[in-house]
Amino acid sequence: MSLISSTEMLQIARKNKYAVGAFNVHTLEMLQAVVEAAVETNSPLIIQSTVGTVKHLGPDYIAAAAKVAADRTGLPIALHLDHCTDFDTIVQCIRAGYTSVMIDASMFAFEENVERTLKVMELARAVGVNVEAELGKVGGVEDDIVVADHEAMLADPEDCKLFVERTGVLTLAPAIGTAHGIYKGEPNIDFDRIAKIAETVDVPLVLHGGSGIPAEQVKKAVALGMSKMNVATELRIAFSNAIKDVFAANPEENDPRKYMVPAKEAVKRLAIEKMELCGCIGKASDVK
């Protein structure tokens, strides 16, 4: 199976009340790890890269690796560009083979967010690429996008309805109290808001800031209507800590395979845990 758009994958997840795990990867080993997790659990998968990782590795390299994964496994796999504010980068990634992109214009006023999202929708619709947009402001740090706690703003359900109607966007990431990065305390998720937005719009919703949310809160958010969960920071930490452990035990180690293999295994284990929370294990066959 070739890489697919995440549109149908997420619509099926929404209909059947589970979420698809979407994992930000920064190396080939991280990409392989989340793919192996999906194979082992027969799960649909969204591989994600931030703009920073696109600049670091190149969109063509990332897309080529993701295409190999999809071809080899036969699983439904989408490749997503996360939190992009730049139209030219979106174009570049679509040309490279990305099947889903996020235009993040949430830092602008409602009308400009609509305008910028429409511009991306016009491009993506022609080539069957999914488009995700954000409404409200998710706090925390995502690459170069920093939203302080006092600047975070929850999405209004009626605004969400109007935004989807005016843009035709296929996937919506509403700010509901989560934050990017690792939480200093318990996340303050507005579950009533999730339920209201899910009732108000007919597109799949995305849970940003999925790292560190307690298991029961993830399950509740998914049950209320979240169809995609983004995980980034926890994967980076698991990957890095595994490498640190190798060097702590053997400071003279100089074979990348000796520290990349345990790092890859750590990411794989964590990805499987997140897939279990999303409820997508065994759901790969849902997507034809």
Side-chain angles (χ1 to χ4, degrees):
M1 181 182 287
S2 300
L3 286 173
I4 64 171
S5 166
S6 59
T7 302
E8 182 184 10
M9 181 191 299
L10 294 176
Q11 289 172 343
I12 291 171
R14 174 186 165 95
K15 178 181 177 181
N16 293 291
K17 299 187 182 304
Y18 63 85
V20 177
F23 302 97
N24 282 42
V25 301
H26 306 282
T27 70
L28 176 61
E29 289 82 7
M30 292 182 79
L31 187 150
Q32 290 173 323
V34 299
V35 170
E36 289 177 13
V39 170
E40 188 169 308
T41 60
N42 192 36
S43 300
L45 173 66
I46 298 175
I47 299 169
Q48 299 191 156
S49 62
T50 63
V51 173
T53 301
V54 168
K55 291 178 179 177
H56 176 63
L57 296 178
D60 48 351
Y61 276 99
I62 298 169
K67 288 173 185 174
V68 168
D71 289 341
R72 283 190 180 184
T73 65
L75 289 174
I77 298 176
L79 178 61
H80 177 72
L81 173 65
D82 195 24
H83 277 287
C84 187
T85 61
D86 179 61
F87 183 77
D88 290 340
T89 301
I90 288 173
V91 172
Q92 186 182 22
C93 286
I94 289 176
R95 285 176 174 168
Y98 278 63
T99 58
S100 178
V101 295
M102 179 182 184
I103 171 62
D104 184 358
S106 60
M107 67 290 299
F108 299 107
F110 184 87
E111 289 299 329
E112 186 163 357
N113 193 346
V114 168
E115 182 180 333
R116 288 172 179 257
T117 302
L118 275 171
K119 184 178 180 182
V120 175
M121 278 298 300
E122 289 171 3
L123 167 68
R125 187 183 288 114
V127 290
V129 167
N130 181 278
V131 176
E132 178 182 325
E134 184 170 311
L135 205 59
K137 293 180 181 178
V138 177
V141 180
E142 183 74 23
D143 255 16
D144 296 329
I145 301 174
V146 180
V147 179
D149 289 346
H150 69 276
E151 294 175 326
M153 181 176 65
L154 301 186
D156 178 82
E158 289 305 315
D159 284 348
C160 290
K161 179 181 180 181
L162 183 60
F163 185 82
V164 170
E165 288 174 349
R166 290 186 56 185
T167 63
V169 73
L170 300 165
T171 315
L172 182 67
I176 45 81
T178 55
H180 297 120
I182 295 296
Y183 298 92
K184 298 182 178 74
E186 283 279 311
N188 187 24
I189 300 175
D190 190 335
F191 293 105
D192 290 340
R193 190 175 298 267
I194 296 175
K196 183 61 177 177
I197 294 172
E199 291 170 2
T200 305
V201 304
D202 60 359
V203 299
L205 302 179
V206 182
L207 183 66
H208 278 242
S211 290
I213 301 177
E216 291 309 310
Q217 292 191 28
V218 171
K219 292 177 181 178
K220 185 173 181 179
V222 171
L224 289 172
M226 289 293 177
S227 305
K228 173 178 180 257
M229 183 174 78
N230 290 8
V231 182
T233 306
E234 275 189 277
L235 293 184
R236 291 203 310 271
I237 291 172
F239 187 81
S240 300
N241 283 347
I243 293 174
K244 291 174 186 176
D245 288 345
V246 171
F247 282 107
N250 185 4
E252 303 303 316
E253 182 59 69
N254 61 17
D255 184 345
R257 292 166 296 183
K258 295 293 177 61
Y259 50 84
M260 285 298 186
V261 169
K264 179 178 166 183
E265 285 301 312
V267 170
K268 178 182 174 181
R269 287 194 299 271
L270 181 58
I272 290 174
E273 290 177 15
K274 298 300 182 181
M275 290 170 177
E276 289 175 347
L277 290 181
C278 286
C280 64
I281 286 179
K283 304 295 187 181
S285 57
D286 287 357
V287 186
K288 305 303 181 185

